[in-house]
C-alpha cells in the first residue's frame, strides 16, 4: 500500500495504476444510492479533489453516507483509471476511517457563497475553491519572486518594520508603543514623554524599506526586500489595505532604464511561473473570476512593454478624445482611470511612464537636467493601473541635501541616508511593487481583501 | 569588451582568460609605488575582491593613487590569470573612471573595528567583511527555507502582523495605534476609548502567526509562515531582539514525530545549502568568528538527531554530576545552560526533547495520556540551545475549550480557533524557528544584533 497525496495521484497517474493506496483529506461532497456512495475528497495538496467510490460491503457504509461535509477521513483503496469518465481516475475504497467528524452546520455549503460572506469566515475560506486558488497562487508568486532575484544573485534584506523615520516624508503611519495608554508618562509641559517609550523615542510601522535597503545596495550591488508595510489611511476602497507586502529591488550602478528592464523581466517571470505551476487554478480564475485573464497575461508575456514619458503620456491622453472624470493636466498625478486608459486602450499592454514632474514625486528621486522632472517610472498594466513605482535615486550629496531643505524636511533625520552619498556614492535605482496588487493582476480578483489571508482595513482586524 | 561582475570572474575564470573586461565597484584598499598601483576592488556580488593593477601609462594615474578608499570606480582592463600568485587572477587596467569620490574620513578603515563600533554605523557595516558574510548567508538561508518548503508543496502564508489577539496567551506586546497620544479619546469613565482607534479596538504587533496559519493547514495540509514577530520585553541580552523573523511550518494529519523529522531535514537542508552557496563566507567565519563552526555544522549534517523525553532529560542532567547555576527539577523549564549541556556534552549533536510538563507549555499543545505532559518538542543544538519549538496541536474541541477555561483565558477571543476543531478537525502539528537564531547557528555570530540588518532592541530603533 502506498501512502500518498492527491497531487501525486494527479501528476503521476501512471505510477498508481491498480495500486492500493492510502490518502487522508476532507470531504467536499457526498452522495449515495442504497448500495454505493461517491465522495469528493480534497486533501489540500491539489486544487482538484479525487472521487472515492465506496460500496455497502464496507462495515461502516451507513455511517460514511451520513458524514457531514468537511469531515476528515482516511481512505484506503484501489486506484482505478477511468479514461471514459469526466475525472481521469477514481479510488475504489476498501476502508474508510473517520478522523474528525464535522458539525452539520459547516458554513461553506455546496451553494455558491458571496466573496463578502466568505470574508467573515476568513479562518475557513481557504477551503473554498476561489480562495484555495488565490492563496496557492499567492504562495507561488512569492516564491517566484524570491527565485527570480536569487537566481540573479540578489541579496534578500529584511529591512526593519518598526522605524523611527518616515521614508516618503509624508503618509499616515501607525504608532508603535509599549506605554500604557491609560498611564502615559508626561513631560513638564504636559505632553506625552516619547523618550520614556520602549525605544526612547516615537516609533512607527514602516511604509517602505527603500531608504534602508539602499544602504545594502551600496554594499551588495543587487538587493531586494520582501516584507510587510503599513498605511494608516482611512480609505475604504477595494484597492487599499492597512497592511500589505511589498517587494523593493535596489541596484547599484544602475540607471532608470536598467530597472525598467528588470521590472519587465520580473513581471513576465512571475506570470510564466504561475502558468506553469498552477494551471488548474489559472483555468479556474479564467472561468469564474475574469474571462479575459489568461488572454491579458499571455499578452503581457508576449509583448515588449511600452515606454513613454509622462509629458508625452499627458499629450496622448489629452488628444485621445476620451472624457475622464478627472481632467488631465501636466503637473498633476495620473489617476487610475488615466493609467488604465493608457495601458488598456492606447498601448494595449503594460507600459512604463517615465520622467514625472518633481512636485508629485518623492524627495529622493534623481533630478533631471530639465529642472522640472525626475527620473521616476511607473509601470501601468491593463486591469490594474499602477503595478510598479520606481526611480533612479539622487546620488549627488549636495543636490539631495538641497532638496531635503527645500521640502522643509529635517536633514538631521536623514544623516545616514546622506552619508551614503558621501562615502562611495554611485548611481543606483530601484522600484517597489505592491505584492497584493500583483496577486490581483495574476488572479483577476477585484478586491484586495480577497487576496490577503487575514486582511486589515479601517475598522477590521479580526482573526 | 565584456561587462561583467566579480562573482562571474571568480566562478568562470576560464571564460575570461586574456579578455578585455569592464567592472564597477568600490575600492577596498589602494597602494602604489611611483609607477604602478594596486587596488582591491569589491563590487558586492562576491565576498572576495579583485586585484586591479594600474600603471602610470594611465592619464589619471596620479588622481587614482590618491583616491580615498570606498570611492566607486569603473575599471576596464585585461583579465590576466596569475596562477603563481595568492589571487588566481588580476585585472591589468587600461582605463579607470571615478564614479563617486568618497570623503577621506570613511569610517571603515583597514584596521579591525569592533562589532560594537560597527553597530553604530549600520548603514555602512554591510561593506565590512564580517557583515558582508553574515548578510549574504542570511539571504541564502532565507531562500533555502523557502525552497525547502516549496519543493515539498508547502503553501507560504502571510499571517497578519497587526493582530487583535495574543497567541501565546501571555507575553509583552507592542500596541499599534493611529490615535494621537496627546489627544486620546476617552470613554465616560475616563479610560482611553479603544473603540475609537483605527481598527475599532485595541491592536498589537503579532508574537506568532501560528494560530492563524493553523487555519490554512486545515485547508492546504502543508503550510508555512515566514515573517516578522515582535516582543516588547525589556531584556538587553545577546539573544533577544524586539523585532525578529520567524518560520512556522504547520502540517495537517501530522503527529509530533512527523514534524520532528521535518525539522531535522530542514536544518540539514539549510546547512547544506549555505555550505554549497557560500563557501568563502563559511571559511571566513571559521577563521575569524568561531574556529569550531564548520566542524559543528558538519557534525549536525552527518548525525541522526537525538530524541529524548523531557523526563529522561531531567534524569540525565541530574545524574550528570555537572553543577548548574539553576537547579534541574522536573516541572521547571530547561535553562540555556541545561539545553547546551544536553546537546553539547551528553548527545554531542542536535537533540529533540519531547513531552514537556503541560504547566510550562502553551495552551494549544496536545495533552498526553499521562495527564501531566503535552506533545511538545524543542530542538536543542550545540552552541545555541533551543533552535526549534513545536508541538502537536490539541485537535479535540472539548479538551481545548476546557484548557482555555482552566487557564482563565477568554473562550470568546478564540471562537474561530475553536471552530477549526468543530469543522473537519484533524491531527496537526507544527513548529516555530527563530530565524535570527538559525543565522547565529550558521555563522557563529554571538550577538543577535549582528545578524539583523537594522536591529531593534530596548532603547534602540536607529536608522
Amino acid at each position: 500500500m502506498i501512502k500518498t497525496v492527491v497531487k501525486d495521484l494527479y501528476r503521476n497517474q501512471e505510477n498508481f495504476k491498480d495500486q492500493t493506496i492510502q490518502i487522508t483529506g476532507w470531504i467536499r461532497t457526498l452522495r449515495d444510492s442504497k448500495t454505493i456512495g461517491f465522495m469528493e475528497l480534497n486533501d489540500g495538496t491539489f486544487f482538484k479533489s479525487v472521487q472515492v467510490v465506496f460500496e455497502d460491503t464496507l462495515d461502516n457504509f451507513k455511517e460514511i453516507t451520513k458524514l457531514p461535509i468537511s469531515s476528515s477521513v482516511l481512505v484506503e483503496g484501489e486506484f482505478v483509471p477511468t479514461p471514459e469518465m469526466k475525472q481521469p481516475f477514481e479510488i475504489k475504497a476498501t476502508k474508510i476511517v473517520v478522523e474528525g467528524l464535522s458539525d452539520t452546520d459547516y458554513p461553506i455549503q455546496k451553494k455558491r457563497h458571496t466573496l463578502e460572506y466568505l470574508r467573515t469566515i476568513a479562518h475557513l475560506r481557504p477551503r473554498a475553491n476561489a480562495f484555495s486558488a488565490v492563496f496557492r497562487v499567492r504562495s507561488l508568486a512569492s516564491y517566484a519572486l524570491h527565485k527570480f532575484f536569487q537566481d540573479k544573485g540578489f541579496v534578500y534584506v529584511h529591512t526593519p518594520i518598526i522605524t523611527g523615520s518616515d521614508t516618503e516624508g509624508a503618509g499616515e503611519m501607525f504608532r508603535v508603543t509599549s506605554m500604557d495608554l491609560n498611564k502615559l508618562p508626561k513631560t513638564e509641559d504636559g505632553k506625552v514623554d516619547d523618550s520614556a517609550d520602549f525605544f526612547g523615542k516615537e516609533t512607527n510601522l514602516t511604509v517602505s524599506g527603500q531608504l534602508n535597503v539602499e544602504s545594502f545596495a551600496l554594499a551588495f550591488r543587487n538587493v531586494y526586500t520582501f516584507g510587510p508595510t503599513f498605511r494608516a489611511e482611512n480609505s475604504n476602497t477595494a484597492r487599499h489595505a492597512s497592511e500589505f507586502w511589498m517587494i523593493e529591488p535596489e541596484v547599484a550602478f544602475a540607471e532608470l532604464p536598467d530597472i525598467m528592464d528588470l521590472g519587465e523581466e520580473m513581471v513576465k517571470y512571475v506570470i510564466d511561473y504561475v502558468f506553469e505551476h498552477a494551471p488548474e487554478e489559472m483555468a479556474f480564475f479564467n472561468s469564474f473570476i475574469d474571462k479575459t485573464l489568461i488572454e491579458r497575461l499571455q499578452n503581457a508575456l508576449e509583448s515588449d512593454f511600452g515606454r513613454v514619458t509622462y509629458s508625452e503620456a499627458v499629450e496622448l491622453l489629452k488628444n485621445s478624445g476620451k472624457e475622464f472624470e478627472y481632467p488631465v493636466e501636466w503637473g498633476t498625478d495620473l489617476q487610475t482611470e488615466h493609467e488604465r486608459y493608457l495601458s488598456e486602450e492606447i498601448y494595449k499592454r503594460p507600459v512604463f511612464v517615465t520622467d514625472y514632474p518633481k512636485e508629485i514625486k518623492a524627495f529622493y528621486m534623481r533630478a533631471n537636467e530639465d529642472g522640472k522632472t525626475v527620473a521616476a517610472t511607473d509601470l501601468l498594466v491593463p486591469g490594474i493601473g499602477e503595478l510598479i513605482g520606481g526611480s533612479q535615486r539622487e546620488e549627488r550629496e549636495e543636490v539631495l541635501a538641497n532638496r531635503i531643505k527645500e521640502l522643509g524636511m529635517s536633514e538631521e533625520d536623514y544623516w545616514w541616508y546622506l552619508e551614503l552619498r558621501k562615502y562611495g556614492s554611485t548611481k543606483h535605482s530601484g522600484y517597489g511593487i505592491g505584492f497584493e496588487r500583483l496577486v490581483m493582476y495574476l488572479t483577476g480578483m477585484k478586491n484586495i481583501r480577497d487576496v490577503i489571508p487575514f486582511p486589515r482595513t479601517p475598522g477590521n482586524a479580526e482573526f
Side-chain angles (χ1 to χ4, degrees), chain A:
Chain A
M1 192 178 58
I2 313 169
K3 288 190 191 187
T4 185
V5 293
V6 173
K7 184 179 180 179
D8 273 356
L9 295 181
Y10 272 96
R11 290 279 189 254
N12 305 300
Q13 294 174 32
E14 61 293 350
N15 296 353
F16 293 102
K17 191 166 178 301
D18 304 326
Q19 296 285 326
T20 303
I21 59 138
Q22 185 194 89
I23 53 175
T24 49
W26 295 273
I27 300 173
R28 281 283 177 92
T29 66
L30 190 65
R31 64 196 163 83
D32 72 287
S33 63
K34 285 205 176 89
T35 57
I36 188 164
F38 301 90
M39 175 191 290
E40 269 186 70
L41 195 72
N42 190 290
D43 78 347
T45 64
F46 198 60
F47 184 66
K48 290 185 179 170
S49 301
V50 67
Q51 170 149 292
V52 176
V53 186
F54 58 103
E55 300 185 17
D56 60 0
T57 47
L58 292 187
D59 287 349
N60 56 353
F61 176 78
K62 272 266 167 268
E63 180 198 0
I64 300 299
T65 61
K66 288 176 184 149
L67 285 176
I69 62 164
S70 103
S71 295
S72 58
V73 294
L74 176 150
V75 173
E76 285 176 17
E78 198 192 336
F79 180 97
V80 183
T82 52
E84 72 289 353
M85 314 279 271
K86 204 183 64 180
Q87 66 278 5
F89 60 88
E90 61 187 24
I91 310 299
K92 206 166 166 325
T94 50
K95 181 174 156 188
I96 299 181
V97 181
V98 180
E99 169 148 346
L101 192 65
S102 187
D103 267 25
T104 51
D105 61 347
Y106 181 60
I108 304 179
Q109 295 295 328
K110 179 94 184 153
K111 68 167 178 146
R112 228 172 135 174
H113 298 287
T114 65
L115 297 175
E116 288 76 12
Y117 167 70
L118 290 167
R119 275 176 220 149
T120 66
I121 48 168
H123 61 311
L124 302 175
R125 71 174 176 171
R127 308 175 188 187
N129 275 333
F131 291 98
S132 165
V134 164
F135 292 122
R136 198 185 310 274
V137 167
R138 186 179 166 111
S139 169
L140 291 168
S142 296
Y143 183 61
L145 288 164
H146 278 298
K147 186 164 162 50
F148 174 78
F149 287 116
Q150 295 269 343
D151 285 351
K152 288 181 177 294
F154 279 58
V155 170
Y156 178 31
V157 183
H158 291 116
T159 47
I161 311 300
I162 298 173
T163 171
S165 59
D166 176 354
T167 301
E168 306 281 342
E172 301 184 60
M173 302 175 83
F174 286 106
R175 170 79 187 248
V176 174
T177 178
S178 71
M179 299 189 290
D180 181 342
L181 298 195
N182 282 305
K183 293 180 202 159
L184 288 172
K186 301 279 166 78
T187 57
E188 281 185 8
D189 63 354
K191 293 263 180 194
V192 171
D193 183 6
D194 290 325
S195 74
D197 206 347
F198 192 90
F199 297 105
K201 61 176 180 178
E202 180 182 333
T203 49
N204 297 290
L205 290 179
T206 185
V207 297
S208 159
Q210 182 204 312
L211 301 198
N212 292 104
V213 90
E214 279 186 51
S215 66
F216 275 68
L218 295 179
F220 288 109
R221 188 184 200 101
N222 301 309
V223 297
Y224 69 108
T225 72
F226 192 163
T229 53
F230 306 84
R231 297 284 155 88
E233 248 175 278
N234 202 351
S235 56
N236 252 310
T237 80
R239 297 158 48 91
H240 291 90
S242 311
E243 173 180 318
F244 55 98
W245 286 62
M246 197 138 78
I247 299 99
E248 297 176 289
E250 187 76 30
V251 183
F253 300 100
E255 300 182 358
L256 195 62
D258 298 318
I259 57 135
M260 289 158 66
D261 292 344
L262 183 72
E264 177 168 346
E265 193 185 341
M266 179 197 76
V267 169
K268 290 176 175 173
Y269 184 90
V270 175
I271 294 173
D272 196 56
Y273 191 89
V274 300
F275 274 165
E276 189 185 334
H277 290 85
E280 290 80 8
E281 284 82 353
M282 296 308 288
F284 171 86
F285 294 131
N286 205 61
S287 298
F288 295 102
I289 304 291
D290 178 346
K291 296 210 184 300
T292 59
L293 177 72
I294 287 183
E295 185 194 336
R296 188 163 63 245
L297 295 175
Q298 200 67 49
N299 174 258
L301 212 45
E302 287 159 9
S303 68
D304 289 326
F305 291 6
R307 301 188 179 204
V308 62
T309 66
Y310 167 88
S311 300
E312 290 162 351
V314 166
E315 286 310 305
L316 287 171
L317 289 166
K318 278 184 160 178
N319 300 334
S320 68
K322 166 84 177 170
E323 289 224 7
F324 294 108
E325 197 186 334
Y326 295 89
V328 183
E329 210 51 66
W330 199 100
T332 61
D333 213 353
L334 300 179
Q335 300 295 319
T336 301
E337 56 172 340
H338 310 138
E339 295 176 335
R340 293 189 55 173
Y341 190 83
L342 261 175
S343 63
E344 288 166 21
E345 303 298 329
I346 300 181
Y347 281 87
K348 300 183 194 304
R349 60 195 154 108
V351 54
F352 283 103
V353 179
T354 63
D355 305 297
Y356 284 79
K358 66 176 180 181
E359 280 75 19
I360 58 170
K361 287 290 180 184
F363 74 95
Y364 50 71
M365 298 188 176
R366 192 179 198 280
N368 284 331
E369 293 297 305
D370 62 16
K372 294 187 299 185
T373 61
V374 288
T377 186
D378 283 0
L379 174 64
L380 315 179
V381 300
I384 297 280
E386 185 195 328
L387 186 63
I388 284 178
S391 72
Q392 186 165 337
R393 317 310 188 184
E394 184 56 75
E395 87 282 10
R396 297 162 293 187
E397 189 185 2
E398 210 185 306
V399 180
L400 181 63
N402 285 338
R403 185 70 182 145
I404 286 176
K405 266 184 239 157
E406 208 171 275
L407 292 168
M409 296 157 62
S410 147
E411 243 184 293
E412 225 170 272
D413 287 353
Y414 295 91
W415 70 269
W416 61 269
Y417 190 64
L418 284 162
E419 274 200 2
L420 298 178
R421 278 69 184 168
K422 194 172 165 185
Y423 302 118
S425 191
T426 67
K427 279 177 289 200
H428 61 291
S429 304
Y431 61 81
I433 173 167
F435 182 59
E436 279 73 16
R437 211 165 274 187
L438 176 65
V439 177
M440 290 166 79
Y441 180 58
L442 293 170
T443 61
M445 299 298 284
K446 295 290 179 275
N447 194 309
I448 195 168
R449 291 167 182 77
D450 296 328
V451 300
I452 300 179
F454 299 94
R456 271 72 181 101
T457 52
N460 182 32
E462 295 311 307
F463 304 101

